[in-house]
């Protein structure tokens, strides 16, 4: 089970009194849901302090997105401070203590973005770190509408494939960041790396997807492209393998694809050797493809782990 979002306040403040339902007021003002490995928290007025994540958690969920559905908020993360008004959206790297102070009548969504859903969008999200957007128009308004809809049904929304939902939600947020002009146009290397990842994402099912082919598509030498990937601690072949496995994982968890054989799913994403695919998948996710499908891919209407939540013991300062 993924670690839960939790928030605390000034330790010297008094515990919140129970509300009419018998649930402490502070607990009723913090709702958390998990969609695969993407986590969403809805917070209402108060001051919320999210402790600094451990290294493993910061790696597993490298970004936070904050959306002010109503009211306003003052967000601090380390030395960075961001004012959010109604409809504003920001992305920050998940590191350090996150302090969120909201006004009366405010409602915020805080989204912890999992590394698996980042895929080829890391450059856009990195460049967006600390920026603020108005969601009044363009792609940003589409993101806002999607998040508004999610918040409105946070109690009972259950996507058929939570991992795919997380992937497309993060992709739309990254598109908004990219269109917002935060990516440094002068950084040719950064743009080349981003384009290479996007090219790989579009051609994962091709059996002849090799580093040489990716380099030719970007009009750079294979050696240059290797160096760009190495700057992020990656290899081209390793990235291709990682993305193929992640798309296989999403398909295995998709109950719409239950009739598609496991070997066909592997071949769909360029992993044509069924035995090799099975070994790679188990090495990455701890379960064989068949076992993963049994656990995650059946009709999950009776399961609550993907949208399970508990009201954390939180206090309002």
């Amino acid at each position: 089970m993924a670690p839960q979002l939790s928030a605390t306040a000034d330790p010297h403040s008094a515990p919140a009194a129970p509300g009419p339902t018998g649930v402490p007021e502070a607990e009723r003002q913090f709702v958390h849901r998990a969609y695969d490995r993407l986590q969403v928290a809805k917070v209402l007025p108060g001051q919320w302090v999210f402790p600094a994540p451990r290294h493993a958690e910061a790696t597993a969920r490298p970004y936070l997105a904050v959306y002010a559905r109503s009211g306003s908020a003052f967000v601090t993360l380390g030395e960075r401070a961001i004012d959010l008004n109604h409809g504003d959206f920001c992305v920050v790297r998940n590191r350090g203590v996150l302090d969120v102070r909201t006004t009366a009548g405010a409602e915020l969504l805080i989204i912890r973005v999992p590394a698996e859903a980042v895929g080829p969008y890391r450059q856009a999200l990195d460049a967006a770190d600390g920026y603020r957007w108005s969601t009044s128009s363009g792609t940003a308004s589409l993101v806002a509408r999607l998040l508004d809809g999610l918040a409105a049904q946070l109690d009972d929304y259950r996507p058929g494939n939570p991992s795919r939902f997380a992937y497309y939600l993060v992709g739309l947020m990254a598109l908004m960041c990219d269109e917002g002009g935060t990516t440094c146009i002068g950084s040719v290397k950064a743009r080349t790396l981003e384009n290479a990842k996007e090219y790989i994402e579009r051609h994962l099912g091709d059996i002849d997807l090799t580093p040489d082919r990716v380099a030719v598509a970007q009009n750079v030498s294979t050696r240059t492209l290797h160096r760009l990937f190495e700057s992020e601690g990656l290899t081209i072949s390793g990235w291709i393998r990682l993305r193929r496995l992640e798309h296989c994982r999403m398909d295995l968890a998709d109950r719409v694809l239950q009739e598609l054989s496991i070997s066909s799913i592997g071949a769909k994403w360029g992993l044509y050797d069924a035995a090799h695919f099975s070994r790679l998948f188990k090495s990455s996710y701890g379960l064989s493809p068949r076992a993963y499908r049994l656990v995650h891919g059946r009709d999950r209407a009776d399961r609550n782990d993907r949208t399970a939540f508990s009201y954390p013991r939180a206090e309002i300062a």
Side-chain angles (χ1 to χ4, degrees), residues 161-227:
N161 188 323
S163 57
R164 201 179 301 282
F165 168 76
Y167 176 73
Y168 288 121
L169 174 59
V170 175
L172 189 59
M173 291 193 298
L175 178 63
M176 180 197 75
C177 295
D178 215 14
E179 290 184 355
T182 60
T183 301
C184 179
I185 301 301
S187 177
V188 177
K189 291 182 179 179
R191 178 58 68 182
T192 300
L193 181 58
E194 181 178 1
N195 289 343
K197 287 183 176 180
E198 290 177 352
Y199 180 86
I200 289 170
E201 201 77 4
R202 294 195 304 270
H203 296 278
L204 287 171
D206 298 352
I207 193 171
D208 62 342
L209 182 62
T210 63
D212 289 342
R213 175 180 163 185
V214 178
V216 168
Q218 307 311 313
N219 198 29
V220 297
S221 69
T222 304
R223 184 173 183 178
T224 295
L225 192 61
H226 275 302
R227 286 177 176 172

Side-chain angles (χ1 to χ4, degrees), residues 16-229:
T21 63
V23 179
E25 180 68 18
E27 296 184 1
R28 289 189 292 111
Q29 291 187 295
F30 185 102
V31 181
H32 167 255
R33 289 291 187 273
Y35 301 101
D36 191 41
R37 296 168 185 176
L38 181 141
Q39 297 180 339
V40 180
K42 180 166 66 176
V43 298
L44 299 181
Q47 178 180 357
W48 304 89
V49 180
F50 298 83
R54 296 181 178 179
H55 176 73
E57 172 61 16
T59 300
R61 295 177 180 83
Y63 304 99
L64 297 174
V66 184
Y67 169 54
R69 292 194 69 216
S70 60
S72 59
F74 184 68
V75 177
T76 59
L77 185 66
E79 298 181 353
R80 174 168 286 146
I82 305 172
D83 280 309
L84 296 177
N85 296 314
H86 171 67
D88 285 349
F89 179 96
C90 72
V91 175
V92 290
R93 289 191 180 118
N94 187 17
R95 57 190 183 193
V97 175
L98 177 67
D99 189 307
V100 179
R101 305 183 186 194
T102 61
T103 60
E107 181 179 308
L108 263 67
L109 285 186
I110 299 176
I111 303 166
R112 297 169 84 182
V113 178
E116 294 86 355
V118 172
Y121 310 124
R122 182 174 294 274
Q123 292 288 335
L125 295 175
D126 276 346
D129 183 26
Y131 280 79
R132 178 185 62 200
W133 286 266
S134 167
T135 59
S136 59
S137 62
T139 303
S141 70
L142 299 180
V143 172
R145 288 175 182 269
L146 177 58
L147 294 179
D148 285 337
L150 177 61
Q153 53 181 327
L154 199 60
D155 283 340
D156 48 24
Y157 174 56
R158 296 187 174 187
N161 188 323
S163 57
R164 201 179 301 282
F165 168 76
Y167 176 73
Y168 288 121
L169 174 59
V170 175
L172 189 59
M173 291 193 298
L175 178 63
M176 180 197 75
C177 295
D178 215 14
E179 290 184 355
T182 60
T183 301
C184 179
I185 301 301
S187 177
V188 177
K189 291 182 179 179
R191 178 58 68 182
T192 300
L193 181 58
E194 181 178 1
N195 289 343
K197 287 183 176 180
E198 290 177 352
Y199 180 86
I200 289 170
E201 201 77 4
R202 294 195 304 270
H203 296 278
L204 287 171
D206 298 352
I207 193 171
D208 62 342
L209 182 62
T210 63
D212 289 342
R213 175 180 163 185
V214 178
V216 168
Q218 307 311 313
N219 198 29
V220 297
S221 69
T222 304
R223 184 173 183 178
T224 295
L225 192 61
H226 275 302
R227 286 177 176 172
L228 292 179
F229 274 83

Side-chain angles (χ1 to χ4, degrees), residues 193-312:
L193 181 58
E194 181 178 1
N195 289 343
K197 287 183 176 180
E198 290 177 352
Y199 180 86
I200 289 170
E201 201 77 4
R202 294 195 304 270
H203 296 278
L204 287 171
D206 298 352
I207 193 171
D208 62 342
L209 182 62
T210 63
D212 289 342
R213 175 180 163 185
V214 178
V216 168
Q218 307 311 313
N219 198 29
V220 297
S221 69
T222 304
R223 184 173 183 178
T224 295
L225 192 61
H226 275 302
R227 286 177 176 172
L228 292 179
F229 274 83
E230 287 170 359
S231 69
E232 290 193 347
L234 304 168
T235 65
I236 305 172
S237 296
W239 178 256
I240 293 171
R241 181 171 59 250
L242 178 68
R243 297 308 303 156
R244 281 173 166 167
L245 288 171
E246 180 57 20
H247 279 278
C248 288
R249 185 181 78 88
M250 287 190 281
D251 280 1
L252 289 168
D254 193 337
R255 61 175 180 260
V256 174
L257 301 178
Q258 286 297 292
E259 299 304 316
L260 191 63
S261 69
I262 290 173
S263 60
S264 295
I265 288 176
K268 173 185 175 183
W269 297 108
L271 297 169
Y272 291 87
D273 185 324
H276 182 58
F277 165 44
S278 183
R279 287 193 298 270
L280 286 177
F281 191 92
K282 186 172 184 179
S283 175
S284 297
Y285 300 107
L287 293 171
S288 69
R290 187 176 303 279
Y292 190 91
R293 170 177 266 182
L294 287 173
V295 172
H296 297 277
R298 62 180 181 270
D299 189 335
R300 292 152 55 135
D302 60 336
R303 291 167 57 85
N304 64 5
D305 57 333
R306 64 175 175 164
T307 53
F309 74 98
S310 64
Y311 290 108

